Amino acid sequence: QAGMNVLLKEINQKFLDAGIQRIQKNLESRVKKGKLSEQQLREMMSRCKGVLSYSRQDFQKVDLVIEAVIEVVGLKQQIFKDLEAICRPDCILSSNTSTIDITLIAAKMKNPERIIGAHFFSPAHVMPLLEIVRSNLTPPDVIRDLLAYGSKIRKTPVVVGNCTGFAVNRVFFPYTQAALLLADAGVDAFRIDNVIQRIFGMPIGPFRLTDLVGGDISMHVGGNFVLSFPERTYANARGLIPLLNEKKWLGEKTGRGVYRYDKGDKKRTKAVKDLEAIGPVMKESSAHAQQHLGVPHLLAVSDRDIAEMIFFPVVNEACRVLAEGIVDKAKDMDIASVMSMGFPAYRGGIVHWGDNEAGGAAHVAARLQTFAQMFPQQSGFFVPCEYLLHCAYKGVPLSEGQGFYTPPTPKL
């Protein structure tokens, strides 16, 4: 739609045909909604070419590459080694990785400064945010060119620093992990989803989100955070996600995950609570957590408790991201949280919410300390970070803490 020619590279004809068909299907849905004409659809598809090899004839013409393979470091490293050899020196090489440190991806390149993150959020043709990930080697002109590209394709670009998960996925990794911890503590998973969606206002709850993303991807991405931040993550080796993976219940794409997925009216998929099937899996997860990980069994939890136990660790991680300079200002984090994760726009974004509706730094810090005492063996998951405690002590809003707090070891 932006008038650009697109080269789609795949490893075999089956995958290439499936990719082109998906593009065609997405554009046809826009025609049905009156947002495109048939003529525009044909013109747009004519600008999309599929290939199966890195031919010099094709790739020497490319100005920007966006790699979007699965989150396997070795595979990505080989791809960028190949791209560096075949593309022009001024071609921008970017990765759509959602969690992997881009300097690690560039480890086998002769010129690692060429790589930059271009993280689109799923579904990419719908979600408006483009997370541009810079490293300390990224040239300013590459950042400017990618910002211009993002604007041209009608995305809202936000420049962030390089770390595991970058800004958005790093800040929101506690969102799902807190829900898993609560479920292992005996809180009904479907109630958690209902509170977070119906009462708090998220588009879907954390368990429904896990099914949408896919249990296999959730386990892989979650593993990256456990490796990077072991002191403040929650992992249950016999937990809900690993058990669902064992059963090949990977969510919506396999017809069953935490929910069962039935075909509803107009070919829409309907999420169904199938307690008979998922109940034993949840009990096994909870039993292992309580017997081997010291997770307490919670007897009385209010809707507000659920919302705070899930979102206050997210606010805490947002404070770390601010302290480390991963985002330049709190407003960037607020915009990113709304445009990528669907954080309710009327709540103003995750940091704004923490400063206002959530009660401010002092209340958030106090509640996190209470949760840490409730879960002594998982206390690291809840312990307030220095930035949050500093804001609470000084009476400074979280959004203004960067002007008053100097991290001991800045990342960027």
Side-chain angles (χ1 to χ4, degrees):
Q1 196 167 358
M4 300 178 188
N5 292 321
V6 176
L7 191 66
L8 184 64
K9 161 72 169 66
E10 260 297 358
I11 59 172
N12 61 47
Q13 194 64 46
K14 179 182 177 182
F15 290 165
L16 182 60
D17 290 342
I20 292 174
Q21 287 169 11
R22 177 167 291 186
I23 295 170
Q24 176 91 24
K25 186 177 178 181
N26 287 340
L27 294 177
E28 286 174 351
S29 71
R30 301 200 70 191
V31 171
K32 290 177 182 178
K33 296 174 182 176
K35 295 182 178 180
L36 285 180
S37 67
E38 290 283 356
Q39 177 64 25
Q40 287 175 313
L41 185 151
R42 288 191 293 271
E43 289 175 356
M44 291 168 72
M45 289 305 299
S46 72
R47 292 195 289 270
C48 182
K49 176 183 177 181
V51 298
L52 296 175
S53 64
Y54 292 112
S55 71
R56 187 168 293 275
Q57 181 181 359
D58 287 320
F59 278 83
Q60 279 287 301
K61 300 175 185 177
V62 172
D63 297 314
L64 167 66
V65 173
I66 302 173
E67 165 273 315
V69 301
I70 57 175
E71 297 285 77
V72 176
V73 173
L75 176 60
K76 289 180 183 286
Q77 288 177 336
Q78 184 60 51
I79 286 173
F80 279 99
K81 183 179 178 181
D82 294 339
L83 287 169
E84 186 179 35
I86 199 70
C87 294
R88 299 192 319 266
D90 64 334
C91 174
I92 296 173
L93 303 179
S94 70
S95 174
N96 184 46
T97 179
S98 59
T99 57
I100 303 172
D101 186 318
I102 60 172
T103 58
L104 179 59
I105 295 173
K108 293 185 178 180
M109 295 175 67
K110 293 179 180 178
N111 302 105
E113 72 277 2
R114 291 185 65 182
I115 197 169
I116 189 169
H119 180 212
F120 294 80
F121 292 81
S122 184
H125 65 290
V126 175
M127 300 303 288
L129 190 75
L130 171 59
E131 196 175 35
I132 297 174
V133 186
R134 73 193 191 285
S135 74
N136 57 1
L137 300 175
T138 309
D141 59 330
V142 172
I143 297 173
R144 286 195 297 267
D145 286 347
L146 203 52
L147 281 166
Y149 165 76
S151 298
K152 192 169 184 180
I153 62 171
R154 302 180 184 179
K155 297 295 184 185
T156 300
V158 174
V159 179
V160 303
N162 181 42
C163 63
T164 300
F166 317 127
V168 174
N169 281 350
R170 175 176 162 184
V171 166
F172 275 86
F173 84 77
Y175 175 72
T176 301
Q177 291 192 3
L180 292 167
L181 177 56
L182 278 174
D184 280 347
V187 182
D188 180 73
F190 298 121
R191 181 189 170 201
I192 294 170
D193 268 5
N194 184 68
V195 168
I196 298 305
Q197 180 181 10
R198 305 292 182 187
I199 298 176
F200 191 84
M202 292 291 284
I204 53 178
F207 293 102
R208 180 71 180 84
L209 177 63
T210 297
D211 278 356
L212 182 64
V213 170
D216 51 344
I217 295 172
S218 295
M219 189 161 75
H220 187 83
V221 171
N224 287 335
F225 288 113
V226 171
L227 288 173
S228 297
F229 312 119
E231 76 287 353
R232 61 177 188 273
T233 48
Y234 174 65
N236 180 355
R238 297 298 298 167
L240 184 60
I241 303 301
L243 291 172
L244 290 176
N245 272 266
E246 286 181 10
K247 290 178 172 290
K248 306 299 182 186
W249 293 359
L250 304 181
E252 195 168 324
K253 62 186 174 185
T254 60
R256 188 182 289 277
V258 179
Y259 294 81
R260 189 184 77 234
Y261 294 91
D262 298 340
K263 291 293 183 182
D265 296 336
K266 299 181 181 180
K267 297 183 180 180
R268 291 180 179 175
T269 302
K270 182 180 180 182
V272 178
K273 301 175 186 177
D274 188 350
L275 285 173
E276 186 176 348
I278 196 63
V281 183
M282 291 178 171
K283 287 181 180 178
E284 183 177 347
S285 174
S286 183
H288 185 271
Q290 294 180 27
Q291 292 171 16
H292 299 282
L293 302 177
V295 173
H297 182 75
L298 301 181
L299 297 176
V301 180
S302 69
D303 291 347
R304 180 175 178 176
D305 290 335
I306 291 173
E308 290 186 347
M309 285 186 190
I310 286 177
F311 283 109
F312 281 7
V314 176
V315 173
N316 200 23
E317 199 64 32
C319 289
R320 291 189 178 97
V321 163
L322 288 169
E324 294 169 15
I326 301 300
V327 294
D328 290 332
K329 52 187 180 295
K331 285 183 179 179
D332 288 346
M333 195 66 249
D334 284 334
I335 291 169
S337 67
V338 171
M339 291 192 165
S340 61
M341 294 301 295
F343 193 84
Y346 68 88
R347 296 190 187 276
I350 188 66
V351 181
H352 180 87
W353 176 75
D355 272 335
N356 295 278
E357 280 186 84
H363 176 73
V364 173
R367 289 291 282 164
L368 283 170
Q369 288 168 334
T370 297
F371 300 150
Q373 293 171 359
M374 290 170 60
F375 293 84
Q377 293 193 39
Q378 292 78 37
S379 60
F381 186 80
F382 294 106
V383 170
C385 68
E386 287 186 13
Y387 180 101
L388 175 55
L389 289 172
H390 179 86
C391 290
Y393 178 73
K394 294 289 187 179
V396 176
L398 300 173
S399 59
E400 299 176 15
Q402 286 169 300
F404 297 86
Y405 175 77
T406 302
T409 52
K411 292 283 184 76
L412 293 172

